[in-house]
Structures are given as structure tokens and as C-alpha cells.
Amino acid sequence: VAVHADIDDEGQTVEVKEEPEIGTTALDEDTEDHISNADEEVTIIDTIQYKNLTPKKEYEIRGILMTTDADGKETPLLVDNQKVERSDTFTPENADGEVKLSFTFKASALKGKTIVVFEDLYQDGIKVTSHADITDKNQTIYIPKIGTTAKDKADNNQIIAPEEDVTIVDTIAYENLIPKKEYEIKGILMTKDADGKETPLMVDGKTVENSKPFTPQSAKGLSLIHLGRCRRRG
């Protein structure tokens, strides 16, 4: 008895949109890589790539730094007993694009830690999507840890005889490096002056130092460095 069939009628039209998606890349601001120093202040820049958002609509992106405990369980990273979280609002011009979040925090006590950035995307207070994968390498920042053992090359102990030439071999145990990336280890011999102040050891008017590049095959291992041939006189 009647038909309403107009393909151009907006009142009849329902738009089927793809679900919003986000993916992220977290990098240290100084190294521009997935590795940070355990400095007093570190900044991680998290670049969030989004898809299928509604242009001209306001969104909120929320991020939090995560790590794993001794049992491998996901847990928020705590710095001075506080979570490291950031949020920002943005209004995309296009359905696809990117937005950045910046996390600045104290990392001096975080040697050996692995940090992963988790993100949630909200619209009108409702979470529309998230990116939270503790195994995602693109979201991950590594903070290395090293410890060393220095020994006399001649007899493999930590006592040096007053000989004309001495070679010290320093064995560096490293943790949480990115495998198959090139690093450089630099060493210098230090001593204390009469007031107990640290100062470089001087031999014939020169500091005793050495450096060595190496490419670890795993995140944890050992590297050796020979700290010169140190001339001793009495």
C-alpha cells in the first residue's frame, strides 16, 4: 500500500563505523630509543596513533606507567609511593592521527626496571578503547643496571703489586639491555684525596681510562674492559 525507499534519505540512514583503535610507541626523550638512564629526572614521550575517531569531537587520553613485580604480575610503577599517570584532551581533525603524552619522573632508584606505558581513550567520560599489553615492545622502556668487579690481571685478585706496569681487568655485569643493539662501556680509575674527595687517578699526568663497544646477544650478561697499563712507581 506504500513504499519509502530513498537511498539518499538521511532520516533512513544508519552509519556503521569501525571501532576506535589506538596503538603506541614510547621513547625516552634523551636517547630517542626504548632505553632510559636511571637519572634524577627522566622523560618518556608516548606517541599514541589513533584510528576511527569522530572528527571535531573531544577525547581524553589517559596513560599510566606499569611494571611487573617479582612474580611477573602487572602492577603500577611507584615513584616515591606515587603512581606515574598523565592525561590530556584533544579534538581530532581527522578520524586517524596521533597525539602525544609526556611522563616526567625520578628514575634514580629504578635501575634494572622495565616500564610499560598503558593508555585508555575516553569520550564524554566513557572509555571507548585501550592499549594495555605488558609484552608490547613498542610500549616498553628499559632502564639498565650494571655492577663491576675489578681485579689485577696478573694474579686475578684485588691487590696490586708495586710493579712498573699493571693491568686492571674490570668485569661488568649488565642487566636489562636491549639485545643486538650496540653499546659502549667507558671506565676510569678513581681514587680519594686526603680529604676523602673522589678524584681521577693520575699516572704520569694523565687519567687512566678506556672504552669498549659491545653488542649483547641477551638482556643480561658480562663484558670485560682493560683499564690500561697503569705505571706504578713505588
Side-chain angles (χ1 to χ4, degrees), residues 57-89:
K57 278 278 192 179
E58 185 177 82
Y59 291 83
E60 181 185 14
I61 188 73
R62 301 178 189 175
I64 182 171
L65 300 188
M66 301 289 289
T67 188
T68 54
D69 60 19
D71 299 322
K73 182 182 177 182
E74 298 174 10
T75 181
L77 177 72
L78 298 180
V79 177
D80 294 333
N81 292 318
Q82 298 290 323
K83 298 177 183 178
V84 183
E85 302 176 281
R86 296 291 182 270
S87 64
D88 199 6
T89 57

Side-chain angles (χ1 to χ4, degrees), residues 18-25 46-57 59-61 89-100 119-122 128-131:
E18 294 185 67
E19 291 291 324
E21 298 178 20
I22 56 173
T24 70
T25 302
D46 192 32
T47 303
I48 300 102
Q49 298 86 25
Y50 56 80
K51 293 182 179 180
N52 308 322
L53 301 194
T54 303
K56 313 295 185 181
K57 278 278 192 179
Y59 291 83
E60 181 185 14
I61 188 73
T89 57
F90 68 101
T91 303
E93 294 295 322
N94 302 295
D96 301 344
E98 67 179 37
V99 63
K100 297 179 185 292
E119 305 87 1
D120 294 320
L121 183 66
Y122 290 79
V128 294
T129 190
S130 64
H131 189 202

Side-chain angles (χ1 to χ4, degrees), residues 8 28-29 34 40 47 57 71 98 101 112 128 145 156 166-167 171 181 190 196 199 203 205 211-212 224 227:
D8 298 318
D28 179 272
E29 184 178 50
H34 294 281
E40 186 66 21
T47 303
K57 278 278 192 179
D71 299 322
E98 67 179 37
L101 272 184
V128 294
K145 178 181 179 181
N156 199 36
V166 172
T167 299
T171 302
K181 278 186 172 285
M190 303 289 290
T199 181
V203 177
S211 63
K212 174 187 174 183
L224 304 180
L227 285 162

Side-chain angles (χ1 to χ4, degrees), residues 155-214:
D155 50 19
N156 199 36
N157 64 23
Q158 292 176 303
I159 299 174
I160 296 176
E163 298 173 349
E164 183 68 15
D165 291 313
V166 172
T167 299
I168 294 175
V169 178
D170 196 26
T171 302
I172 298 98
Y174 56 81
E175 297 179 26
N176 220 27
L177 299 190
I178 302 175
K180 300 183 180 179
K181 278 186 172 285
E182 185 175 281
Y183 295 83
E184 182 181 14
I185 190 76
K186 294 182 179 180
I188 183 171
L189 296 188
M190 303 289 290
T191 187
K192 290 183 180 180
D193 62 18
D195 299 322
K197 181 182 177 182
E198 296 178 3
T199 181
L201 176 68
M202 305 297 293
V203 177
D204 294 335
K206 297 180 179 180
T207 58
V208 183
E209 50 190 308
N210 200 3
S211 63
K212 174 187 174 183
F214 71 103

